[in-house]
Amino acid sequence: MKKNIKWFLVQRFLILLFCIYWSVEVINFLYRVAITPAVLAFLESQQIEITGNSNMVVWLLQMLFYFLTGFLPSGVREWVQGRIEQAMGSTMRIQVTSPLYGGMWGIILRIMMIGGILALLLIRMLPYLVGAFCYSRIVTRQFNELLAQEEAQKLARDQRRNLMLSDIAHDIKTPITTICGYSKALSEGIVAKENRQSYLDAIYAKAMRMDELITLLFEYVKLESEGFTMRKEPGDLAELTREMAALLYADFEGREMELVLEIPEERMPFEMDRLQLGRAITNLLTNAIRYGKENGRVLVRLQDYELTVADDGEPIDPVFAAHIFEPFTRGDRARSSKGGSGLGLGISKKIVEMHGGRLILNRSFGEGYTKAFQIRLPDI
């Protein structure tokens, strides 16, 4: 967004420069054809003789200073006028021979000449003044729009944060309720001996669920913090992908899923934070295990710095797909039966973007798969 605004301001600046240039050319033409001859004719009628040649602006400034110094005492006036001519490097001389130049008429004439010269200078500078005014209005309007957008984004972030806190409370409350109820039943001895182990197993499962949720939440908040940076170093993307798939092979077998690996044998060099990028890949694989079809297939393909994790589970609803990378975004059935946290995909997306890539959902991948998550990394 900021880059677009910078380019917009540069474009408007160049357009204004073009307009100023041609406006100045038109005014110069008017000065040469009409204004300067009219001024010289008026000065001649007042027996004010001007000799020499000078730049138009310098010429007007010298005239202005000359008539301003006319209010100074004699002697001082000549000295100041000489210094002005010397400073401006002009050979122009102004000589007043009109007998009416003294007294009250002289004062009125000076004031009229000063006002006229100031008006001519203003006309000469008008394109620059108008251009500066227009550009300042453009810049002000753009920055006001940017501030309004940032305020709207901040409000949206606050709303998402509040929603996320609500979801966190919901997801933590459920296992805590189970743990409290089961542990109280065990402590009061109201659980039959043959059922104690199942209660303990349930308490352990809920505790592990809370641990998983808090760990994911910690990772998400860490990636969101301004001080966090990736520790990138040269590595092999193909080897990392094989390792992450191998770590979860038992989980694929547990759901009797066929894991299809299409990973090149040759080295695929990439500068990366091995820990964080491995976590992003693991999250995609875990998502496929959790939401893929039991006894189905999962494809892991790495080709031209594009990593694809596809499965043949239930298709993702288009409305849900639009928000799938937002924290705690899950379908109703996912919340009730799959136990996902809704943070894994958001974490993966942030990690991939911090590596200069993109994580997208491809709902029409084909090849017998209903959906695919694809990491597109920059080719070195």
Side-chain angles (χ1 to χ4, degrees), residues 205-329:
K206 297 298 182 181
M208 292 303 296
R209 168 67 182 148
M210 289 177 58
D211 180 72
E212 176 191 4
L213 178 62
I214 292 172
T215 300
L216 284 171
L217 182 61
F218 172 76
E219 290 297 331
Y220 187 85
V221 172
K222 183 172 68 173
L223 291 171
E224 281 275 293
S225 63
E226 294 182 0
F228 179 77
T229 55
M230 292 285 174
R231 298 179 180 179
K232 297 180 182 179
E233 55 185 19
D236 184 357
L237 186 59
E239 178 189 0
L240 178 64
T241 304
R242 279 191 294 268
E243 287 183 9
M244 297 304 104
L247 286 174
L248 294 173
Y249 189 75
D251 297 308
F252 284 105
E253 283 193 328
R255 296 205 66 204
E256 298 182 358
M257 287 178 162
E258 178 187 356
L259 181 60
V260 182
L261 296 179
E262 296 182 10
I263 304 172
E265 293 296 331
E266 61 270 16
R267 177 180 172 83
M268 189 172 288
F270 187 70
E271 189 168 326
M272 58 186 169
D273 186 320
R274 186 180 177 84
L275 176 63
Q276 296 299 334
L277 191 57
R279 179 174 286 114
I281 297 172
T282 300
N283 288 344
L284 296 185
L285 294 173
T286 303
N287 187 77
I289 294 170
R290 181 170 288 153
Y291 300 108
K293 184 170 66 176
E294 194 166 358
N295 303 315
R297 291 187 305 156
V298 174
L299 171 68
V300 179
R301 175 185 293 165
L302 180 61
Q303 184 178 14
D304 298 329
Y305 288 91
E306 180 178 271
L307 173 62
T308 299
V309 178
D311 66 73
D312 56 358
E314 293 184 15
I316 297 177
D317 181 81
V319 177
F320 173 58
H323 307 281
I324 197 167
F325 294 111
E326 295 177 8
F328 286 95
T329 299

Side-chain angles (χ1 to χ4, degrees), residues 91-362:
T91 58
M92 186 177 73
R93 295 291 184 274
I94 300 177
Q95 184 177 5
V96 181
T97 58
S98 172
L100 300 176
Y101 199 70
M104 181 60 67
W105 172 246
I107 295 174
I108 294 173
L109 183 60
R110 288 190 188 97
I111 294 174
M112 289 175 57
M113 293 300 298
I114 290 170
I117 293 169
L118 288 174
L120 292 175
L121 283 171
L122 180 62
I123 293 173
R124 185 67 177 79
M125 300 302 296
L126 193 60
Y128 301 101
L129 296 175
V130 172
F133 174 77
C134 291
Y135 191 69
S136 67
R137 290 291 301 273
I138 292 172
V139 172
T140 302
R141 185 170 61 251
Q142 288 300 312
F143 274 95
N144 286 339
E145 290 179 2
L146 180 61
L147 289 174
Q149 290 174 2
E150 289 182 348
E151 186 65 26
Q153 290 173 359
K154 181 179 181 297
L155 179 61
R157 284 196 301 269
D158 290 341
Q159 291 175 343
R160 288 197 300 269
R161 186 180 297 110
N162 292 337
L163 181 60
M164 186 174 72
L165 291 174
S166 174
D167 285 332
I168 292 171
H170 177 276
D171 283 15
I172 292 180
K173 180 177 176 59
T174 301
I176 286 179
T177 301
T178 302
I179 291 172
C180 291
Y182 283 16
S183 58
K184 182 179 180 181
L186 288 170
S187 67
E188 293 179 353
I190 61 176
V191 179
K193 187 175 182 179
E194 61 273 15
N195 294 330
R196 287 180 184 175
Q197 187 59 46
S198 62
Y199 273 61
L200 291 172
D201 291 341
I203 291 173
Y204 176 76
K206 297 298 182 181
M208 292 303 296
R209 168 67 182 148
M210 289 177 58
D211 180 72
E212 176 191 4
L213 178 62
I214 292 172
T215 300
L216 284 171
L217 182 61
F218 172 76
E219 290 297 331
Y220 187 85
V221 172
K222 183 172 68 173
L223 291 171
E224 281 275 293
S225 63
E226 294 182 0
F228 179 77
T229 55
M230 292 285 174
R231 298 179 180 179
K232 297 180 182 179
E233 55 185 19
D236 184 357
L237 186 59
E239 178 189 0
L240 178 64
T241 304
R242 279 191 294 268
E243 287 183 9
M244 297 304 104
L247 286 174
L248 294 173
Y249 189 75
D251 297 308
F252 284 105
E253 283 193 328
R255 296 205 66 204
E256 298 182 358
M257 287 178 162
E258 178 187 356
L259 181 60
V260 182
L261 296 179
E262 296 182 10
I263 304 172
E265 293 296 331
E266 61 270 16
R267 177 180 172 83
M268 189 172 288
F270 187 70
E271 189 168 326
M272 58 186 169
D273 186 320
R274 186 180 177 84
L275 176 63
Q276 296 299 334
L277 191 57
R279 179 174 286 114
I281 297 172
T282 300
N283 288 344
L284 296 185
L285 294 173
T286 303
N287 187 77
I289 294 170
R290 181 170 288 153
Y291 300 108
K293 184 170 66 176
E294 194 166 358
N295 303 315
R297 291 187 305 156
V298 174
L299 171 68
V300 179
R301 175 185 293 165
L302 180 61
Q303 184 178 14
D304 298 329
Y305 288 91
E306 180 178 271
L307 173 62
T308 299
V309 178
D311 66 73
D312 56 358
E314 293 184 15
I316 297 177
D317 181 81
V319 177
F320 173 58
H323 307 281
I324 197 167
F325 294 111
E326 295 177 8
F328 286 95
T329 299
R330 293 165 293 178
D332 293 336
R333 281 175 293 179
R335 179 182 292 276
S336 61
S337 62
K338 302 296 185 181
S341 67
L343 283 170
L345 292 177
I347 290 173
S348 296
K349 185 174 186 292
K350 287 186 175 295
I351 292 173
V352 170
E353 289 175 347
M354 295 176 83
H355 281 83
R358 293 191 306 137
L359 173 60
I360 65 169
L361 168 63
N362 188 343

